[in-house]
Amino acid sequence: MLSIEHVSKTFNPGTVNEKKALEDVSLHLERGDFVTLIGSNGAGKSTLFTAIAGGFVPDSGRIVLDGRDITFLPDYRRSREIGRLFQDPLKGTAPRMTIEENLALAYLRASKGGGGIFSTIKAKDRDFFREKLATLGLGLENRLTQPVGLLSGGQRQALTLLMATLVTPKLLLLDEHTAALDPATAEKVLELTKKIVTQQNITCMMVTHNISSALELGNRTIMMDGGRIVFELSGEERRNMTVEELLRRFKQQTNRQLDNDRMLLTRE
Amino acid sequence: MLLVLRSAAEQGFIYSLVALALYLSYRTLDIADLTTDGTFTLGCAISATMTLAGHPLLGLVLAIAAGAAAGGVTAVLQTKLGVPSILAGIITMTGLYSVNLAAMGSKSNLPMLKEENVFSMAQALFGSAYKLVVAGVFAAVCAVLLGLFLRTRLGLSIRATGDNRDMVSASSINPALMTTVGLCVANALTGLSGALLAQYQKFSDIGLGTGMVVIGLASLIIGEVVVGRGGILRGVLAAVIGAVVYRIIIALALSSSVDANWIKFFSAVIVAIAIAYPTVKEKVLFYQKRRREAKKYAQH
């Protein structure tokens, strides 16, 4: 489904601020894979997501999605097939527009043929939105015409998740999308994520700072450090892995402790 | 007096197209589009020349097209060529000055007192209120069309571009294209406004568009004070009502022997106050709090 082939990226090359953000990263995802990504601060997790979503063109290497080379495709073209959620719950929705208008925008991705650029939101669309919103269990289905700016961070992130998956994407990128929410809301959004990803069998990558949920969710776990993939866990090895063992393994491979400020606070 | 109010309303309806344009570019897309000044005169110039040639209706159509093209130039400068948005508008506006002179046959003003225009064409139909009817119909049609447009898929995409750019490219919408479409539509409206004004006053002048962006914003802000903010219906209504109220204020000021030279100055003051208001309010609250706290601790 997704092939990342020898992708490298250096920011500010040749200056004192030179930063090798990605170094020869290669990764292959099969359809339906759910990969969790962990690593220190500045390991390159978000940079990898940005490379996949089209925020920059890598210095070398290529990215292939479902058989199509997307390395030079602009971000808005990729987003027809790639959904992305950020840590900041305000990034994914337009606050001055209503819930139904936000959903209608997300719906644009799919219905290329349906209605043309001058079509408006129909009663049929509203029913569909209501039905989908009801699956979130947040009561948003009765607030279709309210501006999104009135919603809480958790509600907005749940709505963003729904928007990103309203039309099943080929790939879903979750960049610590629950990190800015309070624990109870984070739990709820994570449950919703699990449900939607499983139901629609979405190929998914998730950055998290919570090692135990990284091991528990999905079928593969990747550890990054200094712009490289340090090791990958899957199958039997992953099932038997504990948080302590994983930290030991990290230290052994990189000769240092895992330093992720959020991770230290949430180790369970 | 009634006559003064009526002509104020007529002009208000004509200028309301500029306020609608700014509702789209400034309020919706969040771009202060200075092309407006140049586009307004462009509309006047084309309309005047075409009216003199005996084609007033064609003049309106061409003014719309030319306005859209001017908006397109500004949009390409800022979305494709990396020119900061305010500067892009200034560049187009400056270039348009020469274009506008050329469009008026190298004359700085162009009277067309005897030629037939869209207003005189309607005179037979509507009797004495013909000017008010024509201006009102144009304002109403443009307001309704803009309101409907902003609810379409394309309109939603334009609004989202002004509201949350991150989200737009993540929804497979090209923000550069949406900015371009928005500025084209806005400047088409401004061009039409200029074209109507030229035919209304039977006169075109190279300086008519000067300060138009500020006047349009002042109208929009006055309208928002009257009908409130939030929602497309309110926004569109605010533009039309605000433009009419603005012209009535000007008419009253003029009839009470205020020096006409100061009109643009007061427009500038209105806009500056309205836009600065939230910041000033915050500062005042901060100083009040500081003084209060200082007193509290001085007592201990």
Side-chain angles (χ1 to χ4, degrees), chain B residues 36-58:
Chain B
T36 307
D37 285 21
T39 310
F40 189 82
T41 316
L42 180 66
C44 290
I46 291 176
S47 163
T49 303
M50 291 308 290
T51 304
L52 282 172
H55 300 289
L57 276 174
L58 187 61

Side-chain angles (χ1 to χ4, degrees), chain B residues 167-229:
Chain B
M167 174 246 188
V168 164
S169 28
S171 305
S172 74
I173 301 162
N174 179 353
L177 181 65
M178 290 309 126
T179 305
T180 308
V181 174
L183 286 180
C184 284
V185 173
N187 280 288
L189 280 168
T190 306
L192 178 59
S193 179
L196 284 171
L197 185 78
Q199 296 191 19
Y200 171 82
Q201 62 183 23
K202 300 178 181 174
F203 185 76
S204 170
D205 184 284
I206 193 70
L208 275 175
T210 310
M212 194 48 65
V213 73
V214 173
I215 292 171
L217 273 181
S219 308
L220 186 59
I221 289 166
I222 291 171
E224 285 170 352
V225 171
V226 177
V227 298
R229 278 180 73 175

Side-chain angles (χ1 to χ4, degrees), chain B residues 125-146:
Chain B
L125 283 169
F126 304 114
S128 67
Y130 67 102
K131 280 184 174 173
L132 190 64
V133 173
V134 173
V137 166
F138 270 102
V141 168
C142 288
V144 169
L145 283 181
L146 182 65

Side-chain angles (χ1 to χ4, degrees), chain A residues 41-58:
Chain A
N41 298 329
K45 299 161 295 187
S46 293
T47 313
L48 181 63
F49 273 17
T50 309
I52 298 170
F56 58 79
V57 176

Side-chain angles (χ1 to χ4, degrees), chain A residues 7-25:
Chain A
V7 165
S8 297
K9 178 73 186 178
T10 305
F11 289 113
N12 309 311
T15 70
V16 284
N17 292 322
E18 182 171 292
K19 163 92 181 142
K20 285 185 176 159
L22 293 175
E23 277 192 85
D24 194 28
V25 173

